[in-house]
Amino acid sequence: MDYAAAIRDRLPAAWRGSDFSSLLSDLETYLSPADIEGVVAAYEFSAKAHEGQQRLSGEAYISHPVAVAKILAGLHLDAGSIKAALLHDVVEDTPATLHDIEVEFGDDVALLVDGVSKLDRLRFDSALEAQAESFRKMLLAMVKDLRVILVKLADRTHNMRTIDALSSAKRRAIAKETLDIYAPIANRLGIYGIKTELEDLGFKTFAPFRYRVLERAVRKARGGRQQFLNKLQTNISRNLATNGIEARMMAREKHLYSIYSKMRRKKIPLSDIADFNGLRIIVGDIDTCYRVLGLIHQLYKPMPGRFKDYIAIPRVNGYQSLHTTLFGPNGVPLEVQIRTEDMDRLAERGIAAHWQYKAVDKHTYSAEARAREWLTGLIEMQEAANSEEFLETVKVDLFPDKVYVFTPKGDIMRLPSGATAVDFAYAVHTDVGNRCVAAKIDGRLVPLKSALSNGDTVEILTARGAKPNPNWVNFVTTAKARNAIRAYLKNLTRDEARTLGRRLLEQALRPFDLSNRKLRKRWIEKVLHELGENELDRVYEQLGLGERLAPVVAALLAQQQGGDQDQAKRERKPLEIAGTEGLVVGYARCCNPIPGDEIIGFLSSGLGVVIHRTSCPNVADFRKHPTKWIPVDWQRGIKGEFQSEIQVRTMNRVGLLAEVAGRISATKSNIDHVNVETDGDASTLQFRLKVRDRGHLAQVLRSIRTNPDVLKVQRLTG
Ligand code: MN
C-alpha cells in the first residue's frame, strides 16, 4: 500500500488527520490504488461544489458526504458506490449538474447519483402501515441499481446520527420515516448493521422519554446479570477448547428497539424479556456450528421451543445462523447465535456483501449481474421455505411488474407496469375514468396514454359530459379500465344503433308515403307482437345493427295502414351518410370509400351498415342478397377524415420516399402506413392516408405527380 500512502502524502495539509483521511485509510484495506485516485477526485469535486455550505450543525457540508462514504466503506462497497456517496448531494444542492458528473466520473457514478437524488425528492408522511409497505416497494422499484438504496441508507444513517441540529417537529417526522421505511428496507436487504442503528436512533428520536426509561431499566437488569454471564462465557469457551473447536466469541447486547418492539408486540413487561443478553459464536464451517450447538446443550439446558435453525431454512433476506436460548447459572437466560464467518459477514452486510470489491469481478460483472446472482442464490436457498414475501418485495427492482404512483392527496396507488394515465383514472373510480379529458404528471400536462413511472404524482382532469374514447382500449393495461371502456362503448353503440335504425326505417317507409311520425300506436303494437318484441326502441336497435331488415319492417307497418303494396317497388330514397354515425356505420377496407365516391350500403348482422364503393368488386358478390342492400349517399358538406390508399411508382432513388411523403403532408393529408417494394430501377410505394374527400385526394395525387422521378400515381381500388 505504498502507492496509497503516496496519495495520502500528496493531500493538502488541511486534509491530514481529517475525516477524509480516515476514510482513505479504510479504503486502502480493500480498494486498488487506481480506485483510490478516483475517490480522491470525487472528493475534490464534491468539496469544491459544496464549498462555503454548512450543515445545520455548523460543520462544513462536505463532512456529511464523507461520513456517508465512510459508512459504505465499512461495508466494503466498490469504488463506484464510494464516489457516488461523496457526490450524492452535489446535484440537488450545488450548481454542478448531473452532466458534469457524467463527464468527470462516467455513467456508472452519474446513474447512482441521479438515483439517490430522485429518492431524495420523495416524501413519506402517511400514518397507514399499508401505505408504508407500498412506499417501501416504490423506493425499491425506483432504483435500477440496488447500490442506490445502499447509498441512501448510509445517507439516512448519518442524518440520523446528526439529527439533533433539527427542530423537534422535523426530528419526529424524519425519525418516523426512518422507522417506517428505511429500517425495514435495511432489514429486507439483510444489512443488520445499518438496520439496528437506524432503529435505535429512530426510537431515541421519536420517543425520547420511553427510550431513556427503557435504557435505564435495561442497564440495571444487565448489571445484575453480568457476573453470571461472564462465568457462562468462560465455561463455554473452555469447553469448546477441550473439544478442539476454534471459535470466536462475542457478547451481544440486544438493541433497545428490538426489546421495545418485543414488549409491544407481545404486550409483556421488561421483566418477562428473557434474552436481552446474547452470545455469538463464530466458527469455521457449518458442521462445526451443529457440533457447538450439541456441546452447549450438554452444558446448559436449552429453553424449550426457542431453538431455530436458520442454516437449514434461511430467513427471506438470506440470513443464516443457529439460534438457541440457554438457562444459565441461577436460571439467567442467554440467547446464543452460532454461525460461520461467511454467514456473519452476510448478516452484517446483507446484499451489500455482493458489491464488495473483487478485482477479478470488476469488469466481468455488472452491478445488475451481481444483484441477480444474489437474488438467484436467495431463491435457491429458500426453495423449501415460503419465498413469496421476498419475491414481492425485493425482486421489484430487477423484474419490475408494478409501478407505484401518488394521488394528488399523497396516497400511493399500485398499478401494473406500463399502466397509463387512463388506467390510473379508472383505478381511482370508473366515473373519473369515463369523464377524464387530460392528465398531469408532477404538475405538467401529458397525453392520456402516457405510461406512468414510479414516484409520479398523477392528477386527472375531468369534464362534465366527457366520454371515453374508443382508442383508449388500444393502450390501457388494466382489466378494470378495459372492461369499463368496453361497457361504455357497448351502451354507446346501442344508442347509435337506435338512431341509425330509426333513420333506416324512415327511409324504408317513404315509398309507402309513411314516416316514423305518421305511424299509429295501434299499428306499432300489432307489428311488435308479430315480430315478438316488446318495444320499438329494441326494433330500431336491431335495424341499426343490421340484425333486422328495414324494408321488411316497413312493409309490415304499411300493411296495417292497408296501403298499396305496389308502392313498395318504387325507388327508395338513399340514406344520407353524415360520417357521425359512430360504430354502426363502417367503411369497407376493400375499397375505402371517400366522400364524392358513388356508394352503396350493405347491412351486416351485428355490425350495422358497411359502406362500399359501387365499383368495388365485392359488391357484385353481395348483390345476391338484394334485401340487404340499401341505397346510401354522402350528406352534402360532410366533414371528417376518411381512409384511402394510393400507389406510387417511382425511380429507385435515395431520398425519394421522403420527398413523396413530404408532398403528401404538404397537402394536409396524414399518412397512416407506408409500404415500399423495390425491383431493380423502380420502386412501388403504397400509402394508406387520410383525406377529406375526392377533391382532396385528387390534390394529393397531383402534387405527387409533379415530382419528375415519379412514374405513375394511382388510387388503389379493392
Ligand atoms: Mn445527504
Side-chain angles (χ1 to χ4, degrees), residues 594-598 634 638 693-695:
I594 59 174
D597 288 335
E598 270 192 43
W634 302 103
I638 180 171
D693 53 24
R694 276 175 79 94

Side-chain angles (χ1 to χ4, degrees), residues 55 61 64-65 68 85 88-89 93 116 120 152 155-156 159:
R55 302 202 86 213
Y61 195 88
H64 166 64
V68 173
H88 80 272
D89 280 332
D93 299 343
V116 178
D120 281 344
K152 183 69 203 165
D155 178 43
R156 178 52 61 110
N159 284 337

Side-chain angles (χ1 to χ4, degrees), residues 251-500:
R252 290 174 52 246
E253 295 192 343
K254 200 169 189 139
H255 70 294
L256 283 183
Y257 187 73
S258 81
I259 295 173
Y260 173 68
S261 308
K262 195 168 192 174
M263 288 165 64
R264 272 187 29 161
R265 208 171 50 236
K266 301 195 168 170
K267 298 193 171 67
I268 50 174
L270 181 65
S271 52
D272 287 4
I273 301 256
D275 53 350
F276 51 79
N277 284 292
L279 185 67
R280 185 175 298 161
I281 305 175
I282 297 163
V283 296
D285 53 48
I286 293 179
D287 235 42
T288 317
C289 293
Y290 291 103
R291 276 185 64 207
V292 170
L293 181 77
L295 286 171
I296 58 174
H297 279 184
Q298 284 172 34
L299 275 181
Y300 298 101
K301 215 165 74 157
M303 203 181 273
R306 296 296 303 270
F307 169 65
K308 300 235 172 57
D309 187 347
Y310 293 120
I311 291 181
I313 302 170
R315 282 189 181 153
V316 286
N317 56 25
Y319 174 88
Q320 286 188 293
S321 190
L322 297 176
H323 289 192
T324 186
T325 304
L326 307 174
F327 289 110
N330 286 16
V332 175
L334 176 82
E335 193 196 54
V336 183
Q337 301 176 341
I338 309 162
R339 53 172 83 149
T340 66
E341 289 285 355
D342 277 352
M343 291 171 190
D344 193 50
R345 201 162 43 241
L346 193 78
E348 285 307 309
R349 300 178 187 170
I351 190 175
H354 294 262
W355 277 280
Q356 284 175 31
Y357 178 81
K358 288 181 208 153
V360 196
D361 281 359
K362 222 181 134 206
H363 298 289
T364 44
Y365 281 121
S366 66
E368 282 83 355
R370 274 186 249 172
R372 209 171 286 267
E373 196 180 72
W374 174 72
L375 190 64
T376 320
L378 282 194
I379 292 169
E380 275 166 13
M381 277 197 289
Q382 281 162 34
E383 264 170 344
N386 174 12
S387 57
E388 242 168 67
E389 176 203 9
F390 167 75
L391 288 174
E392 256 292 291
T393 51
V394 177
K395 76 165 191 172
V396 285
D397 60 316
L398 298 173
F399 312 105
D401 60 351
K402 293 282 184 292
V403 57
Y404 298 86
V405 297
F406 290 106
T407 67
K409 282 184 186 159
D411 289 340
I412 296 170
M413 206 161 253
R414 184 177 84 154
L415 294 163
S417 89
T420 63
V422 172
D423 289 295
F424 175 87
Y426 278 102
V428 172
H429 197 277
T430 306
D431 280 347
V432 175
N434 283 338
R435 292 185 297 121
C436 77
V437 288
K440 282 182 177 176
I441 290 179
D442 296 338
R444 262 204 313 256
L445 274 173
V446 297
L448 281 172
K449 71 170 171 187
S450 305
L452 306 177
S453 310
N454 282 299
D456 284 350
T457 297
V458 189
E459 187 186 345
I460 296 296
L461 309 179
T462 58
R464 200 172 304 181
K467 293 171 188 168
N469 181 329
N471 287 331
W472 292 352
V473 179
N474 299 325
F475 60 71
V476 296
T477 58
T478 54
K480 181 168 186 200
R482 196 174 305 118
N483 293 340
I485 296 167
R486 287 217 174 115
Y488 185 89
L489 290 177
K490 210 170 162 192
N491 281 329
L492 188 71
T493 310
R494 196 171 295 147
D495 287 349
E496 288 169 351
R498 276 179 200 164
T499 309
L500 178 68

Side-chain angles (χ1 to χ4, degrees), residues 465-653:
K467 293 171 188 168
N469 181 329
N471 287 331
W472 292 352
V473 179
N474 299 325
F475 60 71
V476 296
T477 58
T478 54
K480 181 168 186 200
R482 196 174 305 118
N483 293 340
I485 296 167
R486 287 217 174 115
Y488 185 89
L489 290 177
K490 210 170 162 192
N491 281 329
L492 188 71
T493 310
R494 196 171 295 147
D495 287 349
E496 288 169 351
R498 276 179 200 164
T499 309
L500 178 68
R502 202 180 145 87
R503 288 179 64 201
L504 287 169
L505 187 62
E506 183 79 15
Q507 180 199 31
L509 284 170
R510 211 166 289 156
F512 301 102
D513 284 327
L514 279 173
S515 70
N516 281 302
R517 283 165 160 223
K518 286 188 197 162
L519 298 176
R520 305 260 165 84
K521 210 176 169 198
R522 188 162 43 82
W523 309 345
I524 295 172
E525 272 165 11
K526 270 204 154 174
V527 170
L528 283 177
H529 182 74
E530 211 167 313
L531 296 174
E533 296 295 342
N534 296 321
E535 48 179 25
L536 190 57
D537 269 350
R538 176 69 193 134
V539 175
Y540 285 147
E541 204 177 299
Q542 291 166 335
L543 290 171
L545 289 170
E547 287 165 357
R548 236 182 236 293
L549 300 173
V552 176
V553 178
L556 287 173
L557 286 162
Q559 266 175 19
Q560 303 303 318
Q561 185 198 24
D564 180 3
Q565 293 299 303
D566 287 345
Q567 280 183 5
K569 298 196 178 73
R570 291 202 316 221
E571 188 73 8
R572 279 187 281 169
K573 257 198 163 173
L575 177 81
E576 285 199 338
I577 300 300
T580 53
E581 287 81 4
L583 298 171
V584 287
V585 169
Y587 303 93
R589 281 295 149 99
C590 49
C591 54
N592 288 316
I594 59 174
D597 288 335
E598 270 192 43
I599 49 173
I600 184 163
F602 183 72
L603 283 166
S604 172
S605 183
L607 292 175
V609 179
V610 181
I611 311 291
H612 288 263
R613 285 157 72 182
T614 45
S615 62
C616 175
N618 289 332
V619 166
D621 207 31
F622 298 150
R623 293 250 189 232
K624 290 170 195 154
H625 314 277
T627 51
K628 294 205 162 187
W629 285 103
I630 52 163
V632 292
D633 202 355
W634 302 103
Q635 196 180 67
R636 201 180 277 270
I638 180 171
K639 290 215 168 54
E641 293 204 304
F642 299 85
Q643 182 169 297
S644 185
E645 283 189 333
I646 62 168
Q647 182 171 302
V648 185
R649 189 87 178 135
T650 68
M651 301 293 287
N652 185 8
R653 171 166 74 71

